[in-house]
Amino acid sequence: MLEAMLKNAQAAQKEWALSHTQVRNDALEQMIHLVRRDQDKILSANRRDLDAASELPKALANRLALSPEGLSKLLQGLKVVIDQPDPLGTGMGQRTLPNGLSIEAIRVPLGTIGLIFESRPGVAIEAVALALKAGNAMILRSGHEAKGTVAAIVACWQEALTKTGFRADLVQQILDPDRKYVDALLHLRGLDLLIPRGGPALIQKVVAEATVPVIETGVGNCHVYVDRQADLDMAVNIVINAKVSNPAVCNAAETVLVHQDIAEQLLPELAKALSAQGVQLHADSRALSLVPGAVLATNEDFAKEYLSLDLAVRVVANIDEAIAHIEQYGTKHSETIVTNDYSQGERFLKMVDAAAVYINASTRFTDGYQFGFGGEVGISTQKLHARGPMGLEALTTWKWVGRGHGQIRS
C-alpha cells in the first residue's frame, strides 16, 4: 500500500514542482474557501474524535480539540504562506569560472515528505500548506485519535488540488490505524524526508529506527534563567507566560533557574503567582524552603518535558551553572535569560546550544506562526538540514546549475 502511495505522490509532485507560484497560491486560496465551506463537517469530525478518545490525558485532549477560532487562525496562517515569496528557483549567487562556465545553486523542492504526528489535527493544514507552496507532496500518518478530523481536512486539500488542475495524490493520508504502517514509513525507500511530530517516544523511535532521511523535532525541555540583575516583575511575567499560556506545547518552559543572589526575593513572589495559576512546583533543596507548596525535585524532574502545569525550580550560583544545567538537561529547543546585564545576556546567547535562544522574552515565541512563516512543519532541534521552526525554505534543497558553451575539463 505505501509503495503505491509513494509512487502516486512522486508522479504528482513532478508536475507540481514545475507549476507557477500563482498556481500553488491558487490551491491554497481554494483550501481557505473549502475549509470555510466545510467548517461544520470538520468540527463535527473533531467532536467525534474527542468523544472516542475520552481516555486521553488532558494535555493531549487539548491538542486534539479544534474550535472555530482555531480554524480561523489556521486559515490566517494560510494567507501568510500565500503572501510569502516563492523560494523555488531563487539562487545563492551566480559565479563564472575562468573558463566561462556559469554555475549557480538554486532552490528546488525536497520531493515527497512523510509526516507522522499525534493528536494535533491542525498540523494537516499548516504543515501541508508550507510543503505544497514549496513544491512538495505529502503523505500523512496522524495518531488514531485524530484520524477523522484529519480525513475531513485532507478531503479539502484533495478537492483544492483537483480544482486547480492537479492530482489529489499530492496530499495523501494513511487511514489504517495499524502501527505496522508507522514502521513501514520508517523504511519506505524513495521517501525524501520523514518528519515526526509528537511525544518523546514517537520521536526517539523514528530517529533510532528510520532508514530514510529524518528531521528530529520538537521535544522541548525549555528553561528560563533569571539572572542576578533581572527585572523581577518582568521575570515573573515571562515565567507565567512561558509555563501557563499553553503548557501542553513543546515551547512551554519546564524549568526555572534562579540566581542565588535574588532567590529569596524572587521565589516567594514567583511561587505565589504560579500557585494562583494551578502550577505545581518541583524545587531543589536550595529552593524548597522559599517555595510554599513545592515538592522536592529529583534529577528525573529536571529532565522531564511535563506538558502540564508542573514546573521544576533550581537555584544556581551563577550563569555558568545555569548554562551547565541547560547543557545537561535541555533538548536544544528554546532557552531564555531574563537580565538587565547586557554582557550576561550576550554570553547566554553565545554559549547556549539551542535552536532558539532569547533575552528577556518568553520561550513561547518559538513558533512558525510567530516567526512569520504562517505555521511550521515542525521545530527542528537538530543542526542539519534545518533548525528551529521549519518554514518554506526549510522544505527545499539546492540544485547546482551550470550553463556553458562547450567547455570541457582538461
Side-chain angles (χ1 to χ4, degrees):
M1 180 183 80
L2 291 190
E3 289 78 7
M5 293 178 73
L6 178 61
K7 183 177 180 181
N8 291 335
Q10 289 171 329
Q13 191 271 332
K14 286 180 181 178
E15 300 174 5
W16 180 249
L18 298 176
S19 64
H20 190 272
T21 307
Q22 188 57 52
V23 173
R24 282 173 272 132
N25 284 341
D26 287 346
L28 301 192
E29 291 281 8
Q30 283 283 353
M31 183 62 177
I32 293 172
H33 166 73
L34 293 170
V35 170
R36 286 174 175 161
R37 183 197 71 185
D38 290 354
Q39 174 174 300
D40 290 344
K41 185 185 298 184
I42 294 168
L43 293 177
S44 293
N46 187 244
R47 285 192 293 272
R48 289 192 295 272
D49 284 341
L50 283 166
D51 289 342
S54 56
E55 77 289 350
L56 274 183
K58 184 178 179 180
L60 291 180
N62 289 340
R63 289 185 176 194
L64 175 59
L66 270 182
S67 65
E69 296 75 21
L71 275 179
S72 178
K73 183 177 179 181
L74 288 164
L75 297 186
Q76 291 172 16
L78 288 190
K79 288 185 176 294
V80 173
V81 177
I82 290 168
D83 291 340
Q84 286 181 325
D86 184 359
L88 300 184
T90 58
M92 193 168 64
Q94 189 177 34
R95 69 179 77 173
T96 301
L97 304 183
N99 63 6
L101 179 65
S102 171
I103 59 172
E104 180 183 19
I106 61 170
R107 289 193 179 274
V108 295
L110 285 168
T112 300
I113 300 171
L115 181 65
I116 303 176
F117 58 105
E118 291 180 332
S119 56
R120 189 177 293 163
V123 169
I125 293 179
E126 63 178 0
V128 172
L130 289 161
L132 289 177
K133 175 72 179 264
N136 301 289
M138 280 203 111
I139 297 174
L140 305 176
R141 176 34 162 95
S142 73
H144 67 89
E145 67 277 0
K147 185 178 69 172
T149 314
V150 173
I153 292 169
V154 168
C156 290
W157 275 121
Q158 293 183 336
E159 184 176 348
L161 290 164
T162 55
K163 283 180 177 292
T164 317
F166 286 86
R167 293 172 54 171
D169 294 326
L170 279 164
V171 182
Q172 300 177 71
Q173 178 188 8
I174 301 170
L175 287 166
D176 194 319
D178 195 319
R179 290 183 178 272
K180 70 181 183 182
Y181 292 107
V182 172
D183 293 330
L185 263 181
L186 304 186
H187 309 290
L188 186 58
R189 186 173 178 83
L191 190 68
D192 293 291
L193 180 66
L194 181 60
I195 302 173
R197 284 188 63 169
L202 169 66
I203 293 169
Q204 289 164 12
K205 174 182 174 65
V206 173
V207 171
E209 298 180 17
T211 55
V212 299
V214 169
I215 287 185
E216 183 174 357
T217 66
V219 176
N221 187 8
C222 305
H223 299 76
V224 178
Y225 167 55
V226 185
D227 190 44
R228 63 189 297 271
Q229 294 192 42
D231 179 314
L232 300 189
D233 289 336
M234 178 193 293
V236 171
N237 289 335
I238 287 174
V239 172
I240 293 292
N241 180 263
K243 177 72 263 182
V244 177
S245 61
N246 191 345
V249 293
C250 60
N251 57 20
E254 305 291 19
T255 298
V256 175
L257 305 171
V258 179
H259 195 290
Q260 62 185 10
D261 290 358
I262 59 165
E264 291 186 9
Q265 185 178 0
L266 172 67
L267 283 178
E269 292 301 315
L270 181 60
K272 181 179 178 181
L274 288 167
S275 177
Q277 298 290 333
V279 177
Q280 174 63 61
L281 297 177
H282 303 252
D284 78 336
S285 57
R286 286 189 287 179
L288 193 61
S289 63
L290 301 172
V291 183
V295 297
L296 183 63
T298 65
N299 289 337
E300 288 75 18
D301 288 319
F302 289 118
K304 187 178 296 184
E305 184 187 29
Y306 288 107
L307 300 176
S308 62
L309 288 174
D310 291 86
L311 184 67
V313 181
R314 180 182 176 188
V315 175
V316 293
N318 50 46
I319 190 173
D320 293 326
E321 188 176 337
I323 292 171
H325 178 101
I326 292 169
E327 184 175 347
Q328 179 177 356
Y329 294 105
T331 54
K332 302 186 186 302
H333 193 296
S334 302
E335 313 292 354
T336 193
I337 180 174
V338 184
T339 186
N340 288 329
D341 185 328
Y342 175 84
S343 64
Q344 294 292 77
E346 290 299 311
R347 176 177 175 79
F348 189 87
L349 293 186
K350 291 175 182 177
M351 295 294 293
V352 171
D353 182 10
V357 190
Y358 301 93
I359 298 176
N360 295 335
S362 171
T363 57
R364 293 277 288 111
F365 282 105
T366 308
D367 174 84
Y369 193 86
Q370 292 291 324
F371 279 23
F373 300 158
E376 70 210 13
V377 174
I379 297 175
S380 170
T381 54
Q382 64 187 48
K383 298 180 181 179
L384 295 175
H385 130 99
R387 201 174 199 199
M390 295 175 61
L392 289 174
E393 288 191 355
L395 298 173
T396 65
T397 186
W398 295 106
K399 176 189 286 186
W400 286 91
V401 175
R403 295 181 174 89
H405 47 272
Q407 285 88 344
I408 59 174
R409 183 171 177 176
S410 58

